[in-house]
Amino acid sequence: VLQTSQRNTIPLFGIGLIDGIPDEAIEAVAERQNSEFPEVTGRIHRLEDGRIGRFGWKAQKPSLYDFTMAACAVELGLRVPDHAQSIVPYDPGYQAPGLDLDQEQVDALVAYLRSLPPPVQNEPEDGEARDQIQRGEELFRTAGCAACHVKQMGDVDGLFSDLLLHDLGGELGGTGHYGVQPSVSPQGSEPPGLSDSGEPQPPPGPSATEWRTPPLWGCRDSGPYLHDGRAKTLETAIAFHSGEADQSRLRFFLMPDGDQQLVIAFLKTLTAPDAAN
C-alpha cells in the first residue's frame, strides 16, 4: 500500500548552534519533572549508536552533518559520502557511477550551514508596547507552552524548543519511518532492553503521533506551520495541538481574546535574522 504524507521544510537559521547544544542539556530537560504540567512527557530519541537525535521532524538525525547528508541523498538524489541514496523504484539495482559531491564539497556545505546566523527577537522600543510583549511571553508560559518550547538550551538562548519527541495526538499523525524503526505508540516507547536471544534491542523510533518540538525562533517568518504546513497562521497551529499539548491548547483558547493576541504578538517578535522590524 502506497502512503504519502506532505512535509514542511525545516528552517535552517541558527542550525549550527543547535548542533553545538551539549547532550547533557537535552538529557537534563528530558529528566526534569514538570509538576505544573504533568501531562507533558517528552522523550529523547536515542539512535542505535547511542547518539541523541536533534534534527528533523522526528529528531531522526543526531548532527548537522548527518542531517545535511540525508537531505542531499534522499531529498536531492545526490550521491554523497556517508549516506546512501534512496532506491530507484524502476531500477532497484541502480548504482550511481560516482560521487556528486566529494568530501571537501560536503564539508564546505556543512560549514556554510553552520555559519547561518540565529533568529532575533525584535521587541518594540516603546516602553508600554514592550511591557505588552513581556506580558504575552508570561501568558505563553502560563498556558504551558514553555514546557516543550524551552527558551534556553545550554548556551543557546531564544530557541524555544526542548528537541524532544512529544505525542501531539492522532490529528497530527503522519506516515513514514525516517530511516529508523518506528514504535507502535509513545506509551510503548520504553528504553531498549534485550531480545529473547540476549542481544540488545534497538531503541524504539518515533511513533506516528510523535514529533520533535520545532524551535520557535524566527517563527514570524517561517510559516506555514506544523510538519505538513497545514497551518497558515500561528493561531491555527495552536488549534491543531493535541495529545500532550491538549491542555495547553485549551488554556490558550480559554484566555480572553486580548490575552490570546498578546501571546501571538510575543511570538511575532521572534523573527528571521535579516527580517525588518
Side-chain angles (χ1 to χ4, degrees):
V1 177
L2 176 64
Q3 294 179 316
T4 61
S5 183
Q6 184 169 312
R7 287 295 172 268
N8 201 14
T9 303
I10 293 175
L12 297 178
F13 32 57
I15 198 167
L17 294 177
I18 297 175
D19 197 40
I21 294 173
D23 286 355
E24 292 78 12
I26 303 174
E27 291 167 341
V29 170
E31 292 171 2
R32 185 183 62 198
Q33 295 298 312
N34 197 326
S35 59
E36 189 174 0
F37 305 108
E39 68 274 10
V40 177
T41 56
R43 70 181 181 95
I44 288 173
H45 181 202
R46 198 175 293 277
L47 306 179
E48 290 189 36
D49 61 7
R51 291 186 295 169
I52 291 176
R54 62 180 69 197
F55 293 102
W57 283 108
K58 296 286 189 179
Q60 72 271 21
K61 294 300 176 184
S63 71
L64 178 56
Y65 180 86
D66 291 292
F67 181 66
T68 306
M69 292 306 96
C72 287
V74 178
E75 309 296 341
L76 300 179
L78 301 175
R79 188 178 181 193
V80 294
D82 300 322
H83 201 291
Q85 290 175 302
S86 297
I87 295 174
V88 179
Y90 56 83
D91 187 4
Y94 172 78
Q95 292 291 329
L99 292 173
D100 293 301
L101 295 175
D102 62 25
Q103 191 66 57
E104 182 179 357
Q105 290 170 319
V106 299
D107 288 345
L109 175 58
V110 173
Y112 163 72
L113 293 173
R114 185 170 284 115
S115 72
L116 294 177
V120 295
Q121 182 172 10
N122 283 322
E123 289 189 305
E125 295 182 1
D126 176 74
E128 183 177 352
R130 189 165 57 251
D131 289 343
Q132 290 181 325
I133 295 301
Q134 292 173 352
R135 173 60 178 162
E137 184 174 0
E138 179 183 333
L139 291 167
F140 176 84
R141 293 192 297 269
T142 300
C145 305
C148 300
H149 292 284
V150 177
K151 185 173 184 178
Q152 182 164 344
M153 292 287 288
D155 293 332
V156 180
D157 192 22
L159 180 65
F160 293 100
S161 172
D162 57 10
L163 305 178
L164 302 178
L165 292 174
H166 291 273
D167 173 22
L168 293 185
E171 183 70 19
L172 290 180
T175 61
H177 58 78
Y178 293 82
V180 294
Q181 182 62 39
S183 60
V184 175
S185 68
Q187 290 73 25
S189 300
E190 299 297 331
L194 299 178
S195 66
D196 293 339
S197 63
E199 294 295 323
Q201 293 180 323
S207 74
T209 58
E210 284 184 302
W211 303 96
R212 182 201 69 151
T213 306
L216 290 182
W217 61 2
C219 68
R220 189 196 73 172
D221 305 301
S222 57
Y225 307 103
L226 303 178
H227 68 278
D228 53 7
R230 73 177 71 176
K232 307 303 181 186
T233 67
L234 291 166
E235 292 93 333
T236 305
I238 295 170
F240 274 115
H241 281 57
S242 188
E244 294 178 34
D246 190 52
Q247 291 301 309
S248 294
R249 174 183 63 177
L250 182 62
R251 293 184 193 100
F252 173 79
F253 284 108
L254 286 177
M255 291 178 182
D257 288 346
D259 285 353
Q260 292 181 33
Q261 291 309 307
L262 287 177
V263 174
I264 299 300
F266 153 66
L267 292 173
K268 288 184 176 179
T269 66
L270 306 179
T271 65
D274 58 351
N277 292 329

